[in-house]
């Protein structure tokens, strides 16, 4: 198959530079003179009529680049004559004498995805053995023109090109709260296919697909219909991209197992993992995979099976102990393998992290399963790849763009992770690479910013053997993504790269949002003031203002992807607000309004009002950017965090106006637990508190955080339950704290509140309670968890005193007072439940050390 651009105009104009992503395997610039399209230029091809859409794509791109004339497309089975040579490959051999071109082009990947691109006189030849190769050659043609957009020149070149890795793809997290629109997914597929990405994975489809047999799954989550996926799949195929679902088949099921009608299938309510001892899970998985197979018609299917943390902790405990966890996992994987095969998938992918713990699993895993090894560090060597090889399993490596729980991807770390892992994977025989994005903790990230890491991965994945200059790469990126290169645009990238690499925000990138949304006046102590580091923030704000101005200026100059400049500017505004917030917080740590002059107080009030205005403008812009690329579902919980922050500032203004001194903004409740000699055991703890009420009640509410499954009883009446546990997933996060109305269960006189808390994680069953009973007389009774509560694990035994880890702000970032009137629970940190999860994994022998460390943190305000 061939395409010949015929009768190009030979010019004396010099081609300044050739910038391509990914860089071709073999490339030569024959001379510096360029070739131009003229009035007599035509396209000669032997492509069949059904395949001419590939040339149509090329012509559309030519029009976008300013070539408005119509080029004639001529069909000819007779290959155009190449001067002085009988064949195009013969010319290649002449130009690349060091290569055995004929042997090279017989390689499997050269046949499947390779192409040859050569200029000869006034002609430009593109030849490929497959449509896939022709498509990639066309993308290179477009980039050759992009490299010199002001001149519109084809350089005189010779390219022999094909990938060294068959699979080069990305996995796009659409399941953690931000579900991309179909149009946005199409944009990603189209842009990434231009950079020769050929696999696109949607994560995770078990909760983001509108199953006809299970309509309650994913309800209100922005799940995708069959019609949407059918449309997207066809679009991807037209761009030579495989659209593949990542469907969890054991772990990461907590979004579904949170629902009561699915509790029977999990280890416990809200479990991360399916109960693999329960044979009834398999017809469900079978039905779901069947429905997915009706629209995802790829030969690949990803069964995930990573991070199945809860297996053996609940209902399957006895089964696992009897059979052995390795044999239990292997049996499950084989059943899933057979189900997926039954529905027409030949190539089944599974994550590495669980199965690689057990040699028995690796030994007997079906040999046609592909292991996806994911690792997000920057190490150059990954010994576990050699272990996977030893068991003769094909594998793919999977680095990350490092965007999870960040306002902007950690570009430098991502580049190292992507480069090192792909290169080591290739050396060890990987068949491909899939670069991941993740949306941990509500997926607050600007999803368009994933492009930078995704496109970078295409460079490494095409030719992992090649080293390249990172500055040249970014120049190439700007040319091909925005259509122009300018040092000012590169300045934008350099500023954003420096923020993490130079630790300019004085915090870990993954803690950024915790600090951003935390109460701005959370504590009052000299130690706390010192911990609020703001050095060189003024300089950073100046650079961010410069970045915003550059993006605004270039909106009218870039040729495409203008919306991505808006996203970069928004990131700068977000970080700028963060800096101003921290400076203001530090200034007011030990401020006394009663001792300050009115003029200074007025200035402070104006400063806080300015922060509110800036925050609300941020929220408005954020919502606009969100709705351009993602469905509306999932935005509300994030929006609530912005509104809480605005309320905190408004309250401070009122306090300043009324000379009210600093008041602790956090609920006074302690995080309590019942001590025990045995650790890391699933246990149920009963907590109780008696309350006396002597007046008529107006309203009564109680806010409960459990650990992990807490039932609430008032005077022996069941009120409700809350599932509180560490999770990266949307539904659990959204419901980790619950408010209950309890007025109807209360009575005059003595009342008893009981919390039945079962800790399935193997922690110590922490709970935190805050409630308010408003009496008709306007008096308020507070219900506060503290050391006055009693607890017991066996209700036939005597109740004992509880222990306390102190107030939540000491280790989870603060819990402000809830708004019971509007049913809004306390603003919680993303890391709120981390402590109980940490205890469940912390070695028993070192538990005492953890307690000492936490007490020191509490006493000295080390943790904000």
């Amino acid at each position: 198959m061939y395409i010949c651009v015929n009768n190009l105009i030979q010019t004396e104009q010099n081609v300044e530079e050739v910038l391509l992503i990914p860089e071709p395997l073999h490339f030569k610039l024959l001379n510096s003179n360029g070739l131009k399209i003229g009035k007599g230029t035509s396209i000669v091809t032997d492509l069949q009529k059904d395949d001419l859409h590939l040339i149509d794509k090329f012509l559309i791109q030519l029009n976008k680049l300013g070539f408005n004339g119509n080029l004639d497309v001529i069909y000819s089975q007779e290959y155009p004559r190449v001067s002085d040579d009988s064949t195009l490959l013969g010319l290649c051999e002449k130009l690349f004498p060091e290569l055995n071109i004929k042997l090279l082009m017989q390689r499997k990947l050269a046949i499947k995805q390779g192409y040859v691109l050569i200029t000869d006189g006034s002609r430009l030849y593109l030849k490929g053995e497959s449509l896939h190769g022709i498509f990639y050659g066309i993308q290179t043609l477009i980039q050759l023109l992009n490299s010199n957009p002001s001149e519109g020149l084809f350089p005189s070149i010779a390219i022999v090109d094909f990938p060294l890795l068959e699979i080069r793809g990305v996995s796009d997290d659409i399941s953690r709260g931000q579900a991309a629109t179909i149009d946005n997914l199409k944009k990603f597929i189209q842009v990434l296919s231009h950079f020769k990405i050929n696999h696109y994975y949607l994560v995770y489809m078990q909760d983001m697909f509108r199953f006809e047999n299970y309509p309650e799954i994913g309800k209100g989550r922005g799940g995708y219909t069959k019609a949407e996926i059918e449309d997207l799949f066809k679009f991807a195929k037209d761009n030579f991209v495989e659209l593949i679902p990542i469907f969890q088949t054991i772990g990461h099921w907590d979004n579904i197992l949170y629902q009561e009608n699915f509790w029977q299938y999990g280890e416990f309510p809200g479990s991360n993992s399916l109960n693999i001892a329960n044979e009834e899970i398999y017809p469900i998985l079978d039905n779901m995979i069947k429905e997915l197979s009706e629209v995802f018609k790829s030969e690949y299917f990803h069964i995930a099976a990573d991070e199945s943390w809860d297996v053996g902790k609940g209902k399957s405990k006895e089964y696992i102990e009897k059979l052995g966890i390795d044999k239990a996992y292997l049996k499950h994987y084989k059943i899933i393998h057979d189900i997926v095969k039954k529905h027409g998938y030949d190539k089944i992918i599974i994550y590495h992290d669980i199965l690689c713990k057990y040699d028995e699993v690796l030994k007997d895993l079906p040999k046609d399963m592909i292991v996806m090894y994911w690792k997000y560090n920057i190490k150059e060597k990954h010994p576990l790849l050699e272990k996977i090889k030893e068991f003769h399993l094909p594998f793919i490596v999977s680095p990350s763009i490092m965007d999870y729980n960040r306002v902007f991807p950690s570009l430098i770390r991502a580049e190292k992770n992507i480069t090192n892992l792909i290169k080591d994977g290739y050396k060890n025989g990987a068949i491909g690479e899939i670069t991941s994005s993740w949306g941990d903790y509500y997926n607050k990230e600007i999803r368009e910013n994933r492009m930078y890491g995704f496109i970078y991965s295409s460079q490494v994945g095409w030719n992992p053997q090649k080293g390249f200059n990172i500055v040249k790469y970014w120049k190439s990126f700007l040319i091909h993504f925005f259509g122009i290169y300018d040092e000012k645009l590169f300045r934008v990238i350099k500023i954003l790269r420096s923020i993490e690499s130079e630790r300019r925000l004085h915090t870990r990138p993954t803690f950024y949002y915790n600090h951003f949304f935390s109460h701005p006046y959370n504590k009052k102590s000299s130690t706390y003031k010192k911990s609020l580091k703001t050095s060189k923030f003024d300089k950073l704000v100046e650079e961010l203002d410069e970045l915003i101005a550059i993006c605004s200026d270039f909106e009218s100059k870039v040729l495409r992807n203008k919306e991505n400049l808006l996203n970069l500017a928004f990131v700068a505004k977000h970080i700028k607000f963060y800096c101003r917030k921290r400076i203001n917080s530090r200034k007011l740590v030990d401020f006394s309004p009663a001792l300050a002059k009115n003029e200074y107080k007025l200035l402070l009030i104006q400063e806080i009002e300015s922060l509110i205005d800036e925050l609300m403008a941020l929220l408005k812009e954020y919502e606009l950017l969100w709705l351009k690329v993602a469905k509306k579902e999932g935005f509300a919980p994030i929006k609530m965090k912005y509104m809480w922050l605005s309320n905190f500032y408004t309250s401070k203004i009122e306090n300043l106006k009324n000379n009210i001194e600093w008041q602790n903004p956090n609920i006074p409740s302690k995080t309590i637990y019942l001590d025990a000699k045995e650790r890391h055991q699933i246990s149920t703890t009963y907590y109780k508190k008696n309350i006396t009420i002597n007046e008529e009640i107006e309203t009564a509410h109680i806010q409960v955080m459990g650990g992990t499954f807490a039932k609430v009883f008032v005077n022996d009446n069941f009120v409700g339950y809350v599932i509180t546990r560490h999770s990266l997933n949307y539904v659990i996060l959204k419901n980790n704290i619950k408010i209950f109305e309890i007025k109807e269960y209360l009575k005059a006189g003595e009342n008893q509140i009981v919390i039945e808390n079962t800790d399935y994680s193997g922690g110590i069953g922490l709970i935190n309670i805050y409630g308010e009973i408003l009496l008709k007389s306007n008096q308020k009774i507070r219900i506060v968890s503290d050391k006055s509560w009693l607890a017991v694990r066996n209700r036939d035994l005597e109740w004992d005193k509880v222990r306390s880890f102190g107030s939540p702000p000491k280790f989870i970032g603060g819990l402000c007072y809830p708004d019971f009137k509007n049913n809004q629970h306390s603003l919680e940190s993303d890391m709120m439940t981390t402590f109980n999860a940490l205890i469940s994994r912390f070695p028993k022998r070192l538990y005492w050390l953890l307690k000492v460390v936490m007490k020191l943190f509490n006493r000295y305000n080390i943790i904000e």
Side-chain angles (χ1 to χ4, degrees):
M1 286 178 276
Y2 78 91
I3 294 173
C4 175
V5 184
N6 205 16
N7 294 325
L8 290 166
I9 300 173
Q10 300 187 52
T11 74
E12 294 185 359
Q13 291 175 275
N14 287 338
V15 171
E16 295 176 8
E17 193 173 14
V18 178
L19 300 169
L20 301 173
I21 301 177
E23 294 181 4
L25 201 62
H26 302 288
F27 171 88
K28 280 191 178 179
L29 187 63
L30 302 180
N31 59 62
S32 60
N33 294 336
L35 302 168
K36 273 194 168 185
I37 294 174
K39 289 184 179 180
T41 301
S42 62
I43 293 176
V44 182
T45 183
D46 66 347
L47 292 182
Q48 299 298 312
K49 184 177 180 180
D50 290 345
D51 300 324
L52 290 179
H53 62 90
L54 295 180
I55 294 179
D56 291 340
K57 287 177 184 289
F58 178 53
L59 296 176
I60 290 170
Q61 290 300 317
L62 287 179
N63 287 332
K64 287 181 179 179
L65 290 168
F67 302 99
N68 297 318
N70 294 318
L71 298 184
D72 291 333
V73 178
I74 302 167
Y75 177 76
S76 173
Q77 284 188 311
E78 183 179 346
Y79 197 79
R81 181 175 172 273
V82 179
S83 60
D84 301 325
D85 285 276
S86 59
T87 67
L88 192 59
L89 291 184
L91 179 58
C92 288
E93 288 180 334
K94 180 179 178 181
L95 295 171
F96 293 99
E98 71 278 14
L99 301 176
N100 186 333
I101 294 293
K102 290 181 180 177
L103 184 63
L104 195 67
M105 296 311 290
Q106 287 174 7
R107 286 191 185 182
K108 178 178 129 181
L109 289 181
I111 294 170
K112 290 178 69 173
Q113 300 182 36
Y115 63 95
V116 173
L117 192 59
I118 292 183
T119 54
D120 181 54
S122 62
R123 288 175 171 174
L124 188 154
Y125 297 94
L126 167 62
K127 185 179 188 315
E129 295 300 316
S130 69
L131 287 174
H132 203 155
I134 293 291
F135 176 80
Y136 284 159
I138 287 173
Q139 305 316 305
T140 301
L141 275 177
I142 293 166
Q143 288 193 19
L144 290 171
L145 288 171
N146 285 344
S147 291
N148 295 272
S150 60
E151 303 294 339
L153 297 175
F154 284 116
S156 297
I157 46 85
I159 294 174
V160 176
D161 199 17
F162 56 86
L164 296 186
L165 286 177
E166 180 175 3
I167 295 169
R168 305 163 311 282
V170 302
S171 67
D172 194 353
D173 190 344
I174 44 81
S175 70
R176 298 258 168 82
Q178 187 175 174
T181 63
I182 294 297
D183 284 344
N184 185 252
L185 290 172
K186 286 181 177 179
K187 173 189 173 179
F188 268 60
I189 289 168
Q190 187 167 46
V191 169
L192 294 174
S193 69
H194 175 67
F195 297 99
K196 305 181 176 69
I197 291 290
N198 65 347
H199 275 213
Y200 196 93
Y201 294 74
L202 294 180
V203 185
Y204 293 122
M205 293 310 297
Q206 74 278 2
D207 185 43
M208 292 304 297
F209 186 73
R210 302 305 302 272
F211 294 100
E212 293 174 359
N213 290 319
Y214 308 98
E216 66 274 33
I217 289 180
K219 190 174 183 181
R221 298 271 287 108
Y224 299 93
T225 65
K226 286 188 174 181
E228 285 178 319
I229 296 298
E230 279 180 328
D231 178 42
L232 187 64
F233 188 88
K234 182 180 183 305
F235 182 86
K237 273 292 185 188
D238 288 344
N239 285 276
F240 296 88
V241 173
E242 290 281 330
L243 183 68
I244 302 161
I246 299 183
F247 174 80
Q248 284 286 357
T249 51
I250 183 168
H252 282 294
W253 261 65
D254 33 350
N255 281 344
I256 298 172
L257 297 179
Y258 181 89
Q259 301 176 45
E260 287 189 51
N261 55 330
F262 282 93
W263 284 359
Q264 60 184 309
Y265 304 114
E267 290 282 354
F268 49 82
S271 168
N272 154 282
S273 307
L274 288 163
N275 172 14
I276 58 177
N278 183 359
E279 296 289 336
E280 293 180 3
I281 68 171
Y282 295 112
I284 294 173
L285 292 170
D286 190 348
N287 286 333
M288 294 171 81
I289 292 169
K290 177 180 181 297
E291 286 199 48
L292 289 170
S293 71
E294 292 168 0
V295 287
F296 286 100
K297 295 186 179 296
S298 169
E299 60 182 336
Y300 292 89
F301 191 91
H302 199 315
I303 66 170
D306 61 313
E307 298 181 326
S308 50
W309 298 312
D310 293 336
V311 169
K313 287 186 175 180
K315 295 174 184 175
S316 74
K317 188 176 190 311
E318 185 178 338
Y319 170 81
I320 295 294
E321 289 174 349
K322 181 178 179 181
L323 187 61
I325 193 164
D326 52 352
K327 290 182 174 59
Y329 270 127
L330 181 61
K331 179 181 177 183
H332 176 75
Y333 297 153
K334 285 183 173 180
I335 293 173
I336 299 300
H337 170 272
D338 292 345
I339 290 172
V340 174
K341 282 280 187 180
K342 181 179 73 173
H343 293 297
Y345 293 102
D346 291 326
K347 298 178 180 178
I348 303 168
I349 305 171
I350 182 172
Y351 284 125
H352 88 280
D353 55 306
I354 300 297
L355 65 91
C356 281
K357 292 180 180 180
Y358 311 103
D359 286 357
E360 181 77 17
V361 177
L362 287 169
K363 176 185 174 185
D364 292 329
L365 196 71
K367 297 307 175 189
D368 59 350
M369 290 185 79
I370 301 168
V371 177
M372 183 181 283
Y373 173 85
W374 58 272
K375 193 61 68 174
Y376 308 145
N377 59 36
I378 59 174
K379 293 180 179 179
E380 293 184 1
K381 301 293 183 182
H382 295 267
L384 197 53
L385 293 178
E386 296 179 10
K387 182 176 182 179
I388 296 170
K389 277 176 60 179
E390 287 175 10
F391 288 95
H392 307 290
L393 291 164
F395 67 92
I396 293 168
V397 292
S398 181
S400 169
I401 63 171
M402 303 292 182
D403 63 328
Y404 45 89
N405 206 30
R406 293 162 166 84
V407 68
F408 190 75
S410 298
L411 290 178
I412 294 175
R413 187 172 174 82
E415 289 161 3
K416 290 178 180 178
N417 175 227
I418 292 167
T419 301
N420 292 342
L421 182 52
I422 294 176
K423 284 181 176 292
D424 195 40
Y426 176 73
K427 288 177 184 176
N428 280 286
I431 62 172
E433 71 86 14
I434 302 298
T435 298
S436 65
S437 69
W438 296 106
D440 302 2
Y441 305 116
Y442 291 117
N443 205 344
K444 297 181 286 289
E445 297 77 26
I446 303 295
R447 63 172 275 107
E448 289 285 311
N449 291 335
R450 295 176 176 178
M451 285 290 193
Y452 307 108
F454 283 166
I455 293 172
Y456 180 86
S457 74
S458 74
Q459 173 91 349
V460 188
W462 187 264
N463 183 359
Q465 292 181 325
K466 187 177 181 62
F468 55 89
N469 183 295
I470 192 66
V471 175
K472 182 182 177 183
Y473 165 78
W474 280 104
K475 183 175 183 180
S476 304
F477 174 88
L478 294 172
I479 281 283
H480 297 306
F481 192 72
F482 290 113
I484 63 171
Y485 175 77
D486 190 287
E487 284 293 334
K488 289 182 179 179
L489 276 180
F490 191 37
R491 170 76 174 152
V492 169
I493 299 298
K494 286 196 285 189
I495 291 172
L496 290 172
R497 286 167 65 87
S498 75
I499 289 173
E500 181 198 355
S501 64
E502 298 175 16
R503 300 178 180 272
R504 303 182 74 180
L505 296 180
H506 308 295
T507 185
R508 290 171 63 90
T510 51
F511 286 178
Y512 172 85
Y513 279 113
N514 287 344
H515 293 314
F516 183 91
F517 289 119
S518 68
H519 199 297
Y521 315 110
N522 201 21
K523 298 178 185 177
K524 183 177 182 179
S525 74
S526 58
T527 307
Y528 176 58
K529 187 171 185 176
K530 289 179 182 178
S531 72
L532 280 167
K533 296 178 181 177
T534 58
S535 63
K536 299 184 180 180
F537 272 12
D538 291 339
K539 172 64 174 173
L540 177 55
V541 167
E542 287 180 15
E543 292 183 24
L544 293 169
D545 281 333
E546 177 192 357
L547 189 161
I548 293 164
I550 292 172
C551 290
S552 177
D553 181 42
F554 274 84
E555 275 184 60
S556 59
K557 298 178 181 178
V558 299
L559 302 181
R560 50 189 166 272
N561 295 314
K562 297 177 188 289
E563 63 274 15
N564 289 76
L565 290 177
L566 298 177
N567 291 313
L568 293 173
F570 175 79
V571 169
K573 294 172 190 175
H574 209 276
I575 298 173
K576 178 182 172 183
F577 175 87
Y578 174 87
C579 293
R580 292 191 61 213
K581 176 195 175 189
R582 303 284 279 181
I583 292 170
N584 173 265
S585 296
R586 195 170 194 274
K587 186 188 301 183
L588 290 174
V589 166
D590 51 8
F591 178 74
S592 173
L595 299 177
K597 292 182 179 180
N598 286 333
E599 294 82 0
Y600 185 60
K601 269 199 307 186
L602 183 59
L603 288 174
L604 286 176
I605 289 171
Q606 290 173 346
E607 182 179 311
I608 297 171
E609 288 175 339
S610 173
L611 285 170
I612 294 174
D613 291 342
E614 191 175 340
L615 179 67
M616 290 298 96
L618 265 183
L619 174 59
K620 183 178 180 181
E621 186 174 355
Y622 181 36
E623 188 166 14
L624 286 172
L625 293 174
W626 176 291
L627 292 175
K628 282 182 179 180
V629 300
K631 300 181 180 185
K632 64 181 181 180
E633 291 88 349
F635 187 74
I638 304 174
K639 183 174 183 179
M640 185 54 62
K641 289 179 180 286
Y642 283 87
M643 300 310 299
W644 268 120
L645 188 49
S646 175
N647 292 340
F648 297 154
Y649 281 125
T650 300
S651 297
K652 190 65 174 181
I653 290 173
E654 291 302 312
N655 289 349
L656 292 176
K657 287 179 178 178
N658 295 298
N659 286 335
I660 298 173
E661 296 295 330
W662 179 85
Q663 297 174 325
N664 190 338
N666 300 293
I667 56 176
S669 306
K670 310 298 182 185
T671 298
I672 60 174
Y673 66 99
L674 182 64
D675 208 355
K677 293 181 181 179
E678 294 294 326
R679 308 291 181 200
H680 298 199
Q681 300 292 325
I682 295 175
S683 59
T684 299
T685 308
Y686 300 88
Y687 298 87
K688 75 173 180 179
K689 177 73 175 178
N690 293 332
I691 298 169
T692 302
I693 302 174
N694 294 322
E695 297 182 35
E696 190 175 351
I697 300 170
E698 182 69 27
T699 60
H701 300 86
I702 189 171
Q703 173 179 279
V704 181
M705 292 167 47
T708 51
F709 180 61
K711 295 180 181 179
V712 182
F713 297 86
V714 177
N715 294 327
D716 294 327
N717 296 295
F718 175 67
V719 178
Y721 67 88
V722 60
I723 297 171
T724 308
R725 62 174 316 200
H726 182 67
S727 176
L728 306 176
N729 297 320
Y730 179 84
V731 175
I732 294 289
L733 286 170
K734 187 171 178 286
N735 295 284
N736 260 330
I737 307 177
K738 270 193 179 180
I739 289 174
F740 302 95
E741 289 190 30
I742 59 173
K743 177 182 175 181
E744 64 178 292
Y745 306 109
L746 296 172
K747 62 184 179 181
E750 190 83 358
N751 294 266
Q752 187 177 84
I753 296 174
V754 172
I755 309 295
E756 178 188 321
N757 186 77
T758 303
D759 192 331
Y760 291 104
S761 70
I764 55 174
L766 302 169
I767 68 164
N768 183 281
I769 310 294
Y770 179 78
E772 292 179 359
I773 301 171
L774 182 63
L775 304 175
K776 291 284 187 181
S777 63
N778 216 30
Q779 295 292 311
K780 187 182 291 184
I781 299 173
R782 283 183 171 175
I783 306 168
V784 177
S785 52
D786 56 23
K787 287 187 177 181
S788 67
W789 284 59
L790 298 175
V792 71
R793 289 199 170 86
N794 184 338
R795 298 190 73 169
D796 294 330
L797 300 179
E798 186 176 347
W799 291 77
D800 201 356
K801 292 181 179 179
V802 299
R803 305 291 293 273
S804 169
F805 266 110
S807 302
K810 302 296 184 181
F811 59 82
I812 60 169
L815 283 173
C816 64
Y817 285 90
D819 181 354
F820 287 131
K821 183 178 179 181
N822 293 303
N823 195 35
Q824 293 174 4
H825 63 65
S826 300
L827 175 68
E828 81 277 26
S829 157
D830 291 336
M831 311 300 289
M832 182 189 73
T833 54
T834 303
F835 185 67
N836 202 38
L838 176 64
I839 291 175
S840 70
R841 299 180 186 184
F842 210 74
K844 296 180 185 179
R845 65 182 183 278
L846 297 179
Y847 183 70
W848 65 272
L849 177 61
L850 181 62
K851 293 184 72 172
V852 170
V853 171
M854 293 314 302
K855 285 182 178 179
L856 289 173
F857 281 167
N858 292 347
R859 180 176 298 175
Y860 296 110
N861 285 318
I862 297 171
I863 297 182
E864 187 178 338

